[in-house]
Amino acid sequence: MQIPLIRLQCGVNSYDWGKVGGESAAAKYAAATPSDDFSIQEEKPYAELWMGTHPSLPSKDLETKRTLLDLVQDNQALMSQTVSRKYGEKLPFLFKVLSIRKALSIQAHPNKKLAEKLHQKDPKNYPDDNHKPEMTIAITPFDGLCGFRPLEEISHFLSAVPSLRKLVGESTAKDFETAIKDHETSQKEEDMQKNKKALQSAFSALMNNEKSKVASAADELLTSAKKDCGDFAGSGGPSNEGQELADLVVRLNSQFEGDIGLFVLFFLNYVKLEVGEAMFLKADDIHAYLSGDIIECMASSDNVVRAGFTPKYQDIPTLTTMLTYSYAPISEQKMHPVDYPYVTLNSTAYSSASSVILYDPPIEEFSVVKTDLKKEGAKATFEAIDGPSIIICTAGYGKIGVGSKFEEIKQGYVFFVGATAECVLESEGKDFTTFKAFCELSGKEDANGTH
């Protein structure tokens, strides 16, 4: 029987928001195992490297050129019978590298029920019927807009940014302030429902403005950002400084002039992630990535509901009705990785402070393990799991092994590891880093005990 270690050839998408040429990590990784017609063009943007079985850009076995989808459908043991049956003989996750030069659309991904409805009604814009919760791990410094801010911050901006209040409307802004007064942080279900309803009304009012009105308000906002500097937006509020937000408005306006997104940023948390920091976005959570290189893992779907910072199809009625309207500080969306327990490090790995950490979101389709081996000869031996894995090397070089089969692995190389296979990673230099996405339904992989 074939040893279940398969080197993959993965495709890269060219979208306008991607980093250009060799600046793009997605392009560099794709070029490490290029398809016959791929070479990096220095003027072209490269946005996303896709690793998985999704039909829009399926990964292939480098040796045979068969798609990974073909392989796992031919041999259910590669994913395990349990995972194969549950996910219709497709990989349950889609693993990506994103290289972001300018803002992606303000967006959310539908839950399973809504995805089925949207796909049936509009398959052109909603190409599949799956939900798409996703996790983001920074591999270079990253910034983005993620989830609604705490209500008192939104209230602060409605008072401190006249052009924002104008677009929301005086009576809607007043209704919002009255509705949340004295229970902005209440944990009572009744108060929280009332708060969410008020937030939905204010946000929907903002999103349903005419383009000409938004463009005029954007001119006013931009003038204020350039003039007020540190005093901009009432000195920025509790989570951001005025200068930081002024710079952000100027930067985003240079990418999408006069866009509604310039005002959405006052409703959403502005988050910065350092390398290795991560956040998790549930289905129906609003977000917009702004810059940086990230590892992203999601349920295997390509459904996006957009409403700003994009020339693509925008579906504002669906977006404003589908959102959860949960509000919380960004600290609640950041993940807290833990040491991964099902791995053995050799003495060289221990003595060089090598690490293996687990990012484990509260869903069953995927988890991700980051391995940093800090010295030549450092080795990590992973226990077999009852499910599939995909491993990408983002820095350094070394060897990857399953059974008697060992292969070279270096920056940009991607491997599929089949179920029930013990896997070994060994560094042949300093700072050898890999990310492994996997699915196992038994719950053994969950060090937090949250499943």
Side-chain angles (χ1 to χ4, degrees):
M1 186 184 149
Q2 182 194 15
I3 291 173
L5 176 67
I6 300 164
R7 186 166 158 205
L8 298 178
Q9 186 179 65
C10 302
V12 64
N13 282 323
S14 174
Y15 302 140
D16 184 52
W17 52 261
K19 289 190 177 181
V20 174
E23 291 289 301
S24 166
K28 279 192 297 191
Y29 300 164
T33 316
S35 54
D36 299 335
D37 55 352
F38 181 76
S39 63
I40 297 175
Q41 296 169 40
E42 284 311 319
E43 302 301 311
K44 191 173 176 179
Y46 296 98
E48 299 184 344
L49 179 81
W50 284 29
M51 300 168 276
T53 57
H54 196 284
S56 298
L57 195 61
S59 301
K60 294 176 181 174
D61 178 341
L62 177 65
E63 204 175 306
T64 66
K65 299 296 188 272
R66 288 182 70 196
T67 68
L68 182 58
L69 183 60
D70 270 356
L71 297 175
V72 298
Q73 287 181 338
D74 262 9
N75 179 3
Q76 284 197 0
L78 284 173
M79 291 209 302
S80 85
Q81 296 278 354
T82 328
V83 172
S84 274
R85 272 198 303 271
K86 178 157 181 130
Y87 295 105
E89 300 184 338
K90 297 172 192 149
L91 207 60
F93 58 82
L94 178 56
F95 204 23
K96 293 184 182 181
V97 175
L98 270 60
S99 291
I100 305 153
R101 175 179 54 89
K102 69 177 196 176
L104 275 73
S105 55
I106 292 160
Q107 59 183 253
H109 306 297
N111 61 45
K112 188 81 174 81
K113 202 171 167 184
L114 179 60
E116 287 166 359
K117 209 160 95 182
L118 291 172
H119 177 61
Q120 192 176 11
K121 191 178 84 174
D122 184 1
K124 180 175 176 279
N125 288 303
Y126 301 105
D128 57 67
D129 62 0
N130 202 11
H131 69 164
K132 193 182 172 185
E134 62 189 28
M135 179 168 69
T136 294
I137 307 169
I139 53 175
T140 62
F142 161 92
D143 69 342
L145 303 170
C146 301
F148 286 102
R149 293 175 180 270
L151 299 179
E152 61 270 30
E153 291 191 25
I154 296 171
S155 189
H156 163 85
F157 289 126
L158 283 170
S159 302
V161 183
S163 52
L164 173 67
R165 194 176 186 92
K166 206 180 287 179
L167 290 178
V168 169
E170 184 59 34
S171 66
T172 307
K174 271 190 177 147
D175 288 349
F176 174 77
E177 289 158 346
T178 307
I180 68 165
K181 191 171 168 49
D182 298 330
H183 48 76
E184 297 96 324
T185 56
S186 169
Q187 295 300 301
K188 285 186 190 164
E189 187 58 34
E190 183 190 344
D191 290 341
M192 286 164 71
Q193 287 311 317
K194 195 176 163 193
N195 287 347
K196 285 181 180 183
K197 202 173 165 190
L199 177 56
Q200 180 170 7
S201 293
F203 186 69
S204 300
L206 172 68
M207 296 306 291
N208 282 297
N209 273 282
E210 291 169 13
K211 277 205 164 86
S212 58
K213 207 172 164 193
V214 175
S216 161
D219 285 343
E220 198 181 312
L221 184 71
L222 194 64
T223 302
S224 173
K226 288 175 174 173
K227 181 169 67 76
D228 297 345
C229 303
D231 295 330
F232 178 67
S235 303
S239 300
N240 305 113
E241 292 173 358
Q243 186 65 61
E244 178 180 47
L245 289 178
D247 292 344
L248 184 60
V249 164
V250 172
R251 177 179 129 205
L252 293 175
N253 188 69
S254 73
Q255 297 172 6
F256 292 96
E257 191 176 347
D259 194 274
I260 190 67
L262 302 175
F263 296 94
V264 172
L265 69 87
F266 296 109
F267 275 79
L268 305 188
N269 288 300
Y270 176 51
V271 59
K272 292 179 173 180
L273 297 181
E274 293 305 321
V275 175
E277 286 193 302
M279 62 186 180
F280 175 66
L281 297 158
K282 299 189 293 292
D284 302 337
D285 273 354
I286 188 168
H287 58 284
Y289 297 160
L290 302 179
S291 72
D293 297 282
I294 57 174
I295 292 279
E296 191 179 50
C297 199
M298 63 199 66
S300 189
S301 167
D302 199 23
N303 283 325
V304 184
V305 183
R306 299 180 183 87
F309 290 154
T310 180
K312 292 182 180 175
Y313 173 69
Q314 298 189 30
D315 190 347
I316 288 166
T318 298
L319 185 89
T320 52
T321 50
M322 73 183 272
L323 297 174
T324 58
Y325 291 98
S326 296
Y327 47 90
I330 195 59
S331 55
E332 290 188 25
Q333 274 185 307
K334 281 191 180 179
M335 297 187 72
H336 302 285
V338 294
D339 287 338
Y340 180 65
Y342 305 111
V343 64
T344 305
L345 298 178
N346 70 357
S347 58
T348 309
Y350 269 117
S351 63
S352 59
S354 296
S355 63
V356 184
I357 57 172
L358 172 69
Y359 301 86
D360 195 33
I363 54 165
E364 59 185 11
E365 281 95 337
F366 60 83
S367 301
V368 173
V369 166
K370 180 185 185 220
T371 304
D372 282 302
L373 297 177
K374 299 283 192 184
K375 194 176 177 185
E376 186 175 352
K379 186 194 286 190
T381 304
F382 292 85
E383 290 178 28
I385 60 171
D386 195 23
S389 306
I390 288 182
I391 298 174
I392 181 169
C393 172
T394 57
Y397 55 95
K399 288 187 295 196
I400 183 170
V402 168
S404 59
K405 183 178 180 180
F406 275 81
E407 294 214 16
E408 173 192 29
I409 179 169
K410 59 186 182 184
Q411 189 183 61
Y413 280 27
V414 181
F415 286 87
F416 174 86
V417 178
T420 70
E422 183 182 273
C423 178
V424 177
L425 289 169
E426 184 173 351
S427 180
E428 294 186 330
K430 286 195 303 186
D431 298 323
F432 171 48
T433 301
T434 62
F435 288 85
K436 172 175 91 155
F438 65 87
C439 173
E440 187 185 46
L441 298 176
S442 71
K444 175 190 170 188
E445 297 276 342
D446 178 16
N448 297 320
T450 54
H451 286 182

